[in-house]
Amino acid sequence: MLLTGNLKSLLPQVLRRIIRCNRLSISNTSGMAEGYKQANIVILHKSLADDFEKFCHANAGPLPLLYRSQPGDWKCPSLSSDSDIRTDCLQYRLYEYGAFTGSLKSLKEYAEQLKDMVTFYLGCSFSFEKALQNAGIPVRNVEQKCNVSMYKTSVPCYSVSTFCCNLVVTMRPIPANKLEATVLATSKLEESHGAPVHIGNPGLLGIRDLSKPDYGDPVHLQPDDIPVFWACGVTGVEAIISCRSPLAFTHSPGCMFITDLKNNEVTVGSSRKVPQVHCISQDPLHYSIVSAEAAQKIRTLENLIGIDPGNRGIIHLQRQEELLKSCLSISHARSVLITTGFPTHFAYEPPEENDGPPGAFAIAAMLQALEKDVAIVTDQRAMNLNRKIMEEAVRLGILKRPVPLLSYQKESTDSALMFLCENGNRGRPRFDHLIAIERAGMAADGNYYNARKVNIKHLVDPIDELFLAAKTISGVATTGVGDGGNELGMGKVKDAVKKYIKNGDVIACDVEADFTIVAGVSNWGGYAIACALCVLSTCEIHDRYLRKGVGFPQLSKKMVWLAALPSVPKEEKFLKALVQHGVRSGKTASLEMEVDGLPFYNTHSLMIEKLL
């Protein structure tokens, strides 16, 4: 019996012969035959083969198909010479009617049954470990001389016929300062699962305890390590269990088939396609991935809306990358709550201004197109007005259908928690992201002020409390959009508001949002969010990350997303409808085609065209 020795430098055909003779005392093939592709194995009856192949193509992240054999064929000539799948894995698993019934060192005793069975060779993440090491990234499972950790998740794969299971992932601890290099090193190695499908808190995948993997060994994180997850070929094992085939075989997790194919590193052809990694949440820790091209487009949007047509000094409030990080967070959300409404014109009825609703409805329209749940919360006294505005938005084709319209009143100390979560349970939030756009924000003294330092608290419901409560709920993020510093969510830049904005020492909003988007006009911020969400949705790198590598790309829906974007004709009609309902310009109280004293034509219309 051979011990481990220097197995990483042996050629694949030599290793297969050693394995075939049962002369190794190791438990997995991680680190063996460095630089060569390894494969997961699934062997099932020929009657199931076509459906399983479709299942692989539908879930290419975990199941990249390298080769499909003919029934009864033990060899795979395109992957290796002189191989025999009955003997060339360290260990196999036997499944009968979906139940694991034993481990095997060889499948030769099943030679007769194997004549009617087909072997699938699927890519393996062991293949990219050398690429990580070449990039200076530690591979902890190799360092710790153990198998990689594998976990069942709560992420459903795309089902095909009787193959219906959840995704399985591998986890490798990666130093925080190596995350982007890790994604870059693996993103083009699609036959070895490609880029990670999740970076950060394992709970977001339904994994409760990293120290208790479902397959493999626990791999220990070092200080500053971040758990990084890749789609895993052991998903094929779960698929075999789900189909309850009378007889099936797989490799034992970690005991791969070693091919003769070199895992040649792929250079990224264009810098625009280079993936970038961005932290979008600290609680729970969560990173997202986007292409450099898409990120730059969103930075351009942020720069466009950052001009200061009113010369209010908002340049001092701006924070770079806020639009990008906010929209990355929103793209991961399932349910979004939007609030708007600034009753600055207290002497008029209605007192609302027309900056805010157009931006809010532009965001809502894109969220509908992206098939996310969306609701709007506003002041109780303004419900009738907002219902009419909603009807106009649907009639004009801005919204596909009405959005639930909610109000919030404080009735007890836990009212905000009860509103945001089912039965007030922080573990069951109704919304993943809250967005405030041109919404009156509470100042440090508990009052609400317009730009002229007039207290309008009597017209404002305490929706700020929802944003404060969201801070106590893990997984709920918040975004504030404003143009003067007195809007909900601008607490993040309150010191700059007090220093640079007229009356800022009094009017500055004290309530922070996780992300603060500052625009020359708040509506522009709403339009930019809609455009940025569309950019992210058409980014193949981000789309794959959102899907966790399962299912099919969503780019077929691109025309739906483009149709949901704001346009000059839609926004012109919407502003006319607001004027007809008595909603006035913020700065002048005019019932003309203007917002914040700026004419729609040749100012707002030009901004919309630039954003598109």
Side-chain angles (χ1 to χ4, degrees), residues 313-349:
I314 65 166
I315 189 172
H316 301 290
L317 313 186
Q318 291 167 353
R319 299 292 181 269
Q320 297 300 310
E321 306 273 279
E322 293 286 283
L323 178 64
L324 174 60
K325 291 181 180 180
S326 169
C327 290
L328 284 171
S329 176
I330 295 168
S331 75
H332 284 272
R334 294 182 304 273
S335 180
V336 179
L337 180 68
I338 302 171
T339 185
T340 190
F342 207 122
T344 188
H345 301 304
F346 55 91
Y348 293 92
E349 180 57 40

Side-chain angles (χ1 to χ4, degrees), residues 44-66:
L44 39 66
H45 193 269
K46 62 185 180 183
S47 63
L48 297 170
D50 287 348
D51 281 341
F52 187 74
E53 181 173 351
K54 292 175 184 176
F55 184 73
C56 292
H57 291 312
N59 299 282
L63 303 171
L65 183 55
L66 303 180

Side-chain angles (χ1 to χ4, degrees), residues 354-414:
N354 57 19
D355 188 18
F361 280 85
I363 298 170
M366 182 54 63
L367 293 173
Q368 280 189 340
L370 294 172
E371 300 177 11
K372 298 182 185 293
D373 293 332
V374 57
I376 292 176
V377 60
T378 190
D379 300 299
Q380 179 63 45
R381 58 158 189 82
M383 288 291 280
N384 287 335
L385 173 64
N386 279 279
R387 286 192 188 98
K388 294 175 183 177
I389 293 173
M390 184 85 65
E391 291 170 1
E392 295 286 2
V394 174
R395 182 181 66 83
L396 295 171
I398 294 170
L399 294 177
K400 292 188 294 185
R401 58 189 176 278
V403 169
L405 192 59
L406 312 173
S407 66
Y408 169 75
Q409 301 293 319
K410 182 174 182 178
E411 298 173 352
S412 64
T413 55
D414 62 351

